[in-house]
Amino acid sequence: MVRLGLQLTLRAGREAIVRLVLTAAAVAIGVTVLLAVFAGYHAFQATSGRACWECTQAAPARSPASHLELWNYSENIYQGRFIEEVDVAALGPDAPLLPGLTKLPGAGQFYASPALADLLKTVPRDELGQRFAGTEVGTIGYQALSGPTDLVAIVGYSPPKLAALPGTIKVDHISTTKDVQGTTGIYRLAFGIGAIIVLFPLLVLINTATRLAAARREERFAAMRLVGATPRQVNLIATVEAVVGALLGTLLGTGVFLAWRPVLASISFSGQRFFLQTLTPTALGYAVLIVGVPMAAAVASLWSLRRVRLSPLGVSRKVSPPAPTFWRLVPLLAGIPLFVVPLLGIRNSLNSNNPQISPLIFVGLFLIMAGLVMSGSWLTMQVARALGRTARGGSALLAARRLADSPKTAFRAVSGLVLAVFVGSLLAAIVPVFSYAESTLGGNAASLTNVMRAPYDAGPGLELPPARATTLVRELGAYKGVSVVPIYANPSFNAQLMFGPAPSSPTGSHHEPAEQGQSPGGYAQYDSIISCASLRQMPALGKCAPGVSAVYANANNDILTDNPLEIDMPVVTANNPAAPSNTAGLGVGTLLVKANSSATLEKARTLLTLFDATMPMSSAGGLTAWQMGQLEPETFGEMAEIRNNDVTNAETVALAVVGLTLLVAACSLAVTAGGSIVERKRPFTLLRLSGAPGRTLYRVILLESLLPLVTAALVAAATGVGVAIPLVKALPKLRNEPNLALPGPVYYVAMGVGLLVALAVISSTLPVLARVTQPDNARFE
Amino acid sequence: MSAVHVPSLTLPGPPDGPGYLVEARDVVKSFGETPALRGANLSVARGEIVAVMGPSGSGKSTLLHCLAGIFKPDSGEVWCDGQRVDRLDETKRTKLRRQCFGFVFQFGQLVPELSTADNVALPLLLNRVGRKQAYERAVYWLARLGLEGLEGRRSGELSGGQAQRVALARALVTKPTVIFADEPTGSLDSLTGEMVMDQMVDSARAEGATLVLVTHDARVAAFADREVVVRDGLVLDHQIVGVAG
């Protein structure tokens, strides 16, 4: 019987082959997307679970000398991209080795990550290469990196030289704790949600594909019953047919995925590309698909035959499925509290190193989506019945009765799109909240986009000393197109920090001149002094009062904030009190550097980086610069961009999820609409012969898809926005963003475009309708 | 039956005129390499009931489909009420079929999701007749054909004879000029077939409609005014068996 099933599947003429090809193609699309999701999840898990070697701590004093190593971690930037640098020097034969290396670099050698190595080959040395002392001797393996775009250098030093650098510590092992970042918990949550969201329409697609042209198939089975086949034999043949199509589709999908994997690896996902090595489903993932999909297809096929009485006289006695009842709303109504309640208490957990996310959230989400799909058929039936009672045209009547008769079948085709609407609405309500918190520089701050700040204020009295500052400003000024604004530390401010407020001294510092309007306390409330002449190079910072050569200002503190949106601009106005015109003896807290090109900017950054290395940075308590939150020279634009990345990445993930869902759902819709036309070839053709215009039948097909889609999409959109409220409340706050922002115009445009895509997909099946109902092709038995 | 109120209905249709209502002149039609009609001629007068007979594969259904504007002949002419049907484009032929013709086929012609009332009202709704009027006409015709109380049933819940009478009601509801019936009793037992034929012929005569029916059953053909035989794609002979109208 299996052999007969194979023969009927593979060698039963054109129609059987077309059905097989269509089934296999639809399953292949589903399997490709599913494998991509599995692979992405695996890669994400591997990345988010990699050892955080950056977190390496100073060794305790009792550590054996043979295991010790000098370690100095710092960060740098090249054109907005972070570079991680570790300077190392082995102190003993068993000095710990970083992941991704086979041996530590010797003095004057360094290893670079693949992306950094590529950059070093193409970028002039004074813009980047000079920042790393020594010769490149190898590439860092993927075990140490989060992705192929990571810029990392591991630089070898001689122990005396490295020990002299500020921030150097002794370590005896490399940290293997997980690299948990602030957004890891959020991404993990998003990935879980995304996987469920994509999985659902995939199952619908595979299910639909394996039941393609079921009516035609059932006629054939009835004919087999006529010649003596038992129901069991018919079921076996149906199973063989479904399994062959699904297996072919699975193998084809796996092949497409493997071919497409390098392309997938080149796509930036969550702001980071994945290594090809990690972007692969697990062996279990492959096994589940190759076994699971054909099995699921067999079950779907048998399930579809369950409602058909295949007597030897035909399949006309079709048992009508029971009409959906109000109980179909229960999963949706149960899912909402299951999703919302656990969310109320997870905010702190998301911020921790080991985010605990209650599985109930996923159960709730699954129930909400299952509920949307289940209640969709009930809603479809209600709307269809209402339309049937009032339909004035033939097409509306045909569509309404069909929908009311089999709302589950009708809705199944659009359930994927409805889920996409749910996800889109959910995200559209979440993303604007974060966009509110993180947006690009605007207003006066916009002119600072390409201005780099170099912080030298390591604490009161630890500014860049006057002589070194003069040298640095002179060296920077040597680059053509570079202008520099030094922001000097106000000695009175520092004295107050160190020794408390001055009692009643007429002057707070020996720097202060006896000028009119001068405060008795040396304007200790201002943390900095700025030369008015240098200020003119960056007008956005403000302007001094006429005739004043230097002013007191609160610039150092303001400008060192990590969110440029919070800088009060302008920093200087005519109201700022005049400061001593002679700034020669003042230490520099911050340098603002502006360059006329990105190449010059990088040259200046290289200089600042190298210069920085000789700075007396604090290493109190053995903390590394990484742990102290050392601020590397970066432009205000880069700061804003880095802060914006989380939002941008969230949007990318959201778009990827919604895009995949739409793709799968659109395939599902096309397969269903096409299958429905083929199944109803006879009544449609007879209607055409009886004078029903082609456009009437087109409208029937459109209405049958759009009515359930629009109805359920409205419910899905409302649910999505409603569910977003507790989710936004649960996520960590970045600023004082509101708990809910109504979706912006992009959302409405996206929904409109989605609807148009659905229309286009349905319309793509209309030529099939025109062809199968063409009177010239009519044949009647 | 006589107590049933007949709702009025106005549909655009071809004007009355002298001569034959439907004509096929030297009609040739092939399907690929297989010739179905090889110069068939047939003329049907207004109000006439004509049975087209012949063995399987003789081309009788193809002739009916050409007369009804379903198939476009490869050559020859098809006329209906003074207009060349074969020269009309598909849109106009569709309109002609919708407004002037009614169809009854062997089986499978009812839309399964629709109730009997919906099925009968459907052609009127397609002709943009108001919903209320369409359903009044549908209920009237169902009652006239003895199908009272079955308005809400689906095709799967009807017997073969009931389904054919619903199809007949649907064919008649637009007050067609010509009814084309292709093996209308082919799937029915002889008694039921006879009842359906009785009602079809009576209704056609009462409505003044022309009836062209294709059959291979002599008992069915006996209901017609005239029989023609098709063999090998040609209309061979004419036989008057009754009096038109």
Side-chain angles (χ1 to χ4, degrees), chain A residues 316-317 320 387-395 397-398 401-406 680 682-683 686-696 699 775-781, chain B residues 29 31 65 70-72 90-91 93-95 97-98 101 103 105-115 118 122 125-126 128-132 135 154 156-158 170 182:
Chain A
S316 55
R317 298 286 176 187
S320 286
L387 179 67
R389 283 193 289 271
T390 55
R392 300 205 163 272
S395 47
L397 178 73
L398 282 165
R401 291 287 191 250
R402 163 86 170 178
L403 290 173
D405 193 51
S406 48
R680 286 186 288 167
R682 191 200 300 273
L686 287 168
L687 280 170
R688 286 279 284 126
L689 298 189
S690 306
R695 63 176 181 278
T696 300
R699 275 203 298 266
D776 285 349
N777 293 338
R779 295 284 186 281
F780 303 104
E781 302 83 35
Chain B
K29 176 73 181 174
F31 296 104
H65 293 155
I70 293 171
F71 290 163
K72 208 166 182 174
E90 176 52 28
T91 309
R93 280 188 285 143
T94 299
K95 192 175 174 187
R97 291 199 299 269
R98 189 169 72 241
F101 299 162
F103 293 90
F105 297 105
Q106 187 173 347
F107 58 77
Q109 51 200 315
L110 299 180
V111 180
E113 294 88 10
L114 300 187
S115 66
D118 290 335
L122 185 61
L125 294 173
L126 291 172
R128 299 181 189 281
V129 173
R131 182 182 167 87
K132 187 166 177 284
Y135 277 90
R154 308 277 178 88
E157 298 165 330
L158 300 174
R170 190 173 68 175
D182 191 355

Side-chain angles (χ1 to χ4, degrees), chain A residues 298-350:
Chain A
V299 170
S301 173
L302 291 176
W303 187 262
S304 71
L305 284 177
R306 192 180 56 100
R307 294 208 175 278
V308 179
R309 191 178 301 156
L310 290 172
S311 82
L313 295 176
V315 284
S316 55
R317 298 286 176 187
K318 197 167 187 173
V319 181
S320 286
T325 61
F326 182 77
W327 287 104
R328 289 186 156 261
L329 290 177
V330 170
L332 180 62
L333 298 177
I336 291 172
L338 268 179
F339 181 76
V340 170
V341 173
L343 275 177
L344 300 177
I346 68 163
R347 177 184 292 192
N348 292 335
S349 173
L350 283 175

Side-chain angles (χ1 to χ4, degrees), chain B residues 13-124:
Chain B
D16 288 346
Y20 292 112
L21 182 68
V22 183
E23 272 194 281
R25 295 179 191 166
D26 295 322
V27 170
V28 173
K29 176 73 181 174
S30 299
F31 296 104
E33 297 294 311
T34 312
L37 294 176
R38 297 189 297 175
N41 289 286
L42 178 66
S43 303
V44 182
R46 187 178 297 276
E48 193 181 11
I49 297 178
V50 175
V52 181
M53 295 191 67
S56 292
S58 59
K60 56 188 188 298
S61 288
T62 306
L63 176 61
L64 179 133
H65 293 155
C66 285
L67 288 171
I70 293 171
F71 290 163
K72 208 166 182 174
D74 300 335
S75 67
E77 299 173 4
V78 175
W79 291 81
C80 179
D81 210 10
Q83 64 177 327
R84 278 283 293 271
V85 175
D86 59 289
R87 283 191 177 166
L88 298 177
D89 61 20
E90 176 52 28
T91 309
K92 286 182 177 151
R93 280 188 285 143
T94 299
K95 192 175 174 187
L96 181 71
R97 291 199 299 269
R98 189 169 72 241
Q99 295 185 338
C100 304
F101 299 162
F103 293 90
V104 181
F105 297 105
Q106 187 173 347
F107 58 77
Q109 51 200 315
L110 299 180
V111 180
E113 294 88 10
L114 300 187
S115 66
T116 54
D118 290 335
N119 263 298
V120 178
L122 185 61
L124 296 174

